[in-house]
Amino acid sequence: MNNNRRKFLTSTSALTASALASNLGTWGVESANAQAASGYKAIVCVFLFGGNDSNNMIIPFTDYAAYSAVRTAASAVGIPQANLLQFNAPSASKMYGFHPSMASVAPLYAAGKLAVIANSGTLLAPLTKAQYQAGTNRPPNLFSHSDQTDAWQGLLNNSASRSGWGGRMSDKLIAANTGQLIPSAISVAGSQLFTAGALTAPLVVPQNGIVTVSGQGSDAVSVARYNALNALIKSADPTSTVVKSGAAVLDRALLSNATANPLLQMTSAAITGAFPTAVTNTGIGQQLRQVARLIDGRATTQVKRQFFFVGVGGYDTHQNTVTNQTNLFNQLFPAMKAFYDYTVAAGVANDVVQVTLSDFNRTFIGNAGLGVDHAWGGHQVVLGGSVKGGNMYGSFTDLAVKGNQDSGGNGSWIPGIAVDQVGGTLGKWLGMPGTDIAQVFPNLVNFSTADLGFML
């Protein structure tokens, strides 16, 4: 099993070990007297594990000849122009095309609810090809699945703390979430760096069903064991800081389970109407339905600012990239559309945003197996009622192999937008002060634009 898949298949648990190890976890108990935020907002990170070939997700239509000369004529890994779902990008004054399997979400672009973030990636600072070749400000461990997955999720270079930007945002929003009964950062895809904070612990829930303690059941023995655990927690030695803190973490974990589990077993008309069986038969559809259930229960959980992580593997398409990616997209985008439809029906479309992330893009040049290999900068999509959609943010690559944007000789694009800028834009939408955003994304100071402008 490769490192990427092992990370994705990490078994679920009530609270992740990485966050517990940092500061034994807190949900903002210290800030009980602080001012809570008004309203509700949530970010849903949709991670495409393996490195999504975004060269075939967003394709030039006006400049299709430059794409076809490499992807179709030379490599046989291209999408025919006639199959593209055309869209206009006013910022570029050109036409582009969505992958044909994005038919479910393409109308949302025209409706102004979906936007394209062009050529984004992991960066320490703006980078030219000359600087890249000289090793100046070059991010470490490029083209490595595990390292770039961590970098996209927010791992800070040269830092002893392993936290993600969703978790660090949770740290900064403790006061905003005063009174919360479950953590603000939640993963439905196993333990993930994105949700790990330095001060706050995340909740991990399964893509189906409820969160349980190992061995928990409804039989008499299981109930007695569970009651004994509770009794031990309540009687923890108050003179030992470590024992007392550990017991408090367990107590909050059990409270979180008790709060979340009834919500994870319920449904609503908004959820039932938005998620068809074809979507809930897929893993990504089930994960997004779990997110919908927890958003539906926001009045119960009392969380005002929330971060969700969902993910799907299989994007490491070294072979048969067109077929494999098409199959994946046929599950991904209907699920994202179903989730958006839920937010509309639930009246929270303007309060919830989905954003795709992935390890990296794939090489523009294909390989002998009709696949594509590890690359760097790629395109993402952002979807929600508060998105300034119907446009492309950032500059599309020039598609010149060995050109100024190609870090190597196979079409591995140097990003023009940093993941820090994407996260910073979302942080501003959440209402975070600029000083807090700068602490969550310390590299952001190196970029002239902290807000890319894709959110209202």
Side-chain angles (χ1 to χ4, degrees):
M1 184 181 294
N2 62 43
N3 288 336
N4 180 60
R5 183 162 295 182
R6 184 179 296 111
K7 176 172 292 189
F8 177 68
L9 294 177
T10 301
S11 61
T12 59
S13 61
L15 293 173
T16 63
S18 60
L20 291 178
S22 60
N23 277 311
L24 291 178
T26 169
W27 299 352
V29 175
E30 306 90 332
S31 304
N33 296 319
Q35 180 72 35
S38 61
Y40 176 86
K41 286 187 177 181
I43 296 171
V44 182
C45 169
V46 182
F47 207 96
L48 313 181
F49 286 94
N52 176 43
D53 180 19
S54 64
N55 292 310
N56 272 2
M57 184 172 77
I58 309 296
I59 299 170
F61 194 90
T62 301
D63 299 329
Y64 183 80
Y67 166 91
S68 181
V70 175
R71 280 247 150 170
T72 305
S75 303
V77 293
I79 305 293
Q81 187 178 30
N83 294 354
L84 301 181
L85 306 173
Q86 295 182 53
F87 68 90
N88 178 46
S91 62
S93 301
K94 291 182 178 181
M95 296 294 294
Y96 293 86
F98 290 118
H99 188 285
S101 292
M102 296 177 69
S104 56
V105 297
L108 296 177
Y109 180 91
K113 306 303 180 185
L114 183 144
V116 173
I117 303 172
N119 194 27
S120 58
T122 55
L123 285 171
L124 304 179
L127 194 66
T128 66
K129 185 172 182 176
Q131 290 172 325
Y132 171 84
Q133 292 175 332
T136 304
N137 286 330
R138 183 193 297 181
N141 304 317
L142 291 170
F143 319 116
S144 158
H145 283 297
S146 58
D147 292 295
Q148 291 308 295
T149 295
D150 282 351
W152 265 101
Q153 292 190 34
L155 181 68
L156 299 178
N157 294 310
N158 303 315
S159 172
S161 175
R162 285 185 58 84
S163 62
W165 57 270
R168 292 196 297 274
M169 283 185 172
S170 294
D171 292 345
K172 294 297 181 182
L173 292 166
I174 286 176
N177 284 321
T178 295
Q180 67 191 96
L181 298 179
I182 66 172
S184 55
I186 297 175
S187 172
V188 199
S191 299
Q192 298 294 338
L193 181 69
F194 176 81
T195 55
L199 301 174
T200 55
L203 174 68
V204 180
V205 303
Q207 72 179 37
N208 264 320
I210 63 173
V211 185
T212 60
V213 177
S214 179
Q216 183 178 349
S218 58
D219 59 283
V221 173
S222 295
V223 171
R225 185 189 301 119
Y226 184 81
N227 290 338
L229 174 61
N230 268 307
L232 285 171
I233 291 172
K234 303 300 182 187
S235 62
D237 182 2
T239 64
S240 170
T241 301
V242 172
V243 171
K244 183 179 178 181
S245 297
V249 170
L250 287 174
D251 189 42
R252 289 195 291 271
L254 295 178
L255 171 62
S256 176
N257 292 357
T259 303
N261 284 343
L263 303 176
L264 294 172
Q265 298 177 85
M266 296 177 65
T267 190
S268 65
I271 294 174
T272 302
F275 285 89
T277 301
V279 168
T280 56
N281 281 341
T282 67
I284 187 64
Q286 291 169 4
Q287 290 179 55
L288 286 170
R289 183 176 59 180
Q290 291 283 67
V291 173
R293 286 168 171 161
L294 291 170
I295 291 176
D296 243 20
R298 62 194 179 279
T300 298
T301 64
Q302 300 180 45
V303 183
K304 301 297 192 299
R305 298 291 182 268
Q306 207 153 22
F307 307 88
F308 294 98
F309 186 99
V310 300
V312 59
Y315 285 87
D316 194 16
T317 53
H318 288 283
Q319 294 183 320
N320 300 318
T321 185
V322 174
T323 298
N324 291 333
Q325 188 184 46
T326 296
N327 292 338
L328 290 165
F329 279 2
N330 284 339
Q331 297 181 37
L332 172 67
F333 289 108
M336 291 181 68
K337 172 60 162 55
F339 181 79
Y340 173 77
D341 289 344
Y342 155 73
T343 66
V344 173
V348 293
N350 293 340
D351 307 316
V352 180
V353 59
Q354 301 175 75
V355 60
T356 63
L357 305 179
S358 190
D359 319 14
F360 37 60
N361 193 9
R362 316 296 295 189
T363 54
F364 191 45
I365 294 178
N367 59 33
L370 299 180
V372 279
D373 300 316
H374 300 184
W376 192 2
H379 317 305
Q380 308 298 336
V381 297
V382 57
L383 169 61
S386 289
V387 172
K388 293 182 184 177
N391 210 345
M392 178 181 291
Y393 294 83
S395 299
F396 197 84
T397 51
D398 60 17
L399 302 184
V401 175
K402 298 183 180 180
N404 289 332
Q405 291 181 291
D406 187 358
S407 64
N410 55 4
S412 179
W413 314 125
I414 298 172
I417 287 176
V419 61
D420 304 66
Q421 294 172 284
V422 176
T425 304
L426 293 170
K428 182 178 179 181
W429 172 73
L430 285 177
M432 295 178 64
T435 51
D436 284 355
I437 294 172
Q439 290 178 27
V440 173
F441 302 101
N443 291 324
L444 198 54
V445 68
N446 299 325
F447 298 89
S448 59
T449 304
D451 180 4
L452 298 173
F454 59 76
M455 298 299 295
L456 294 171

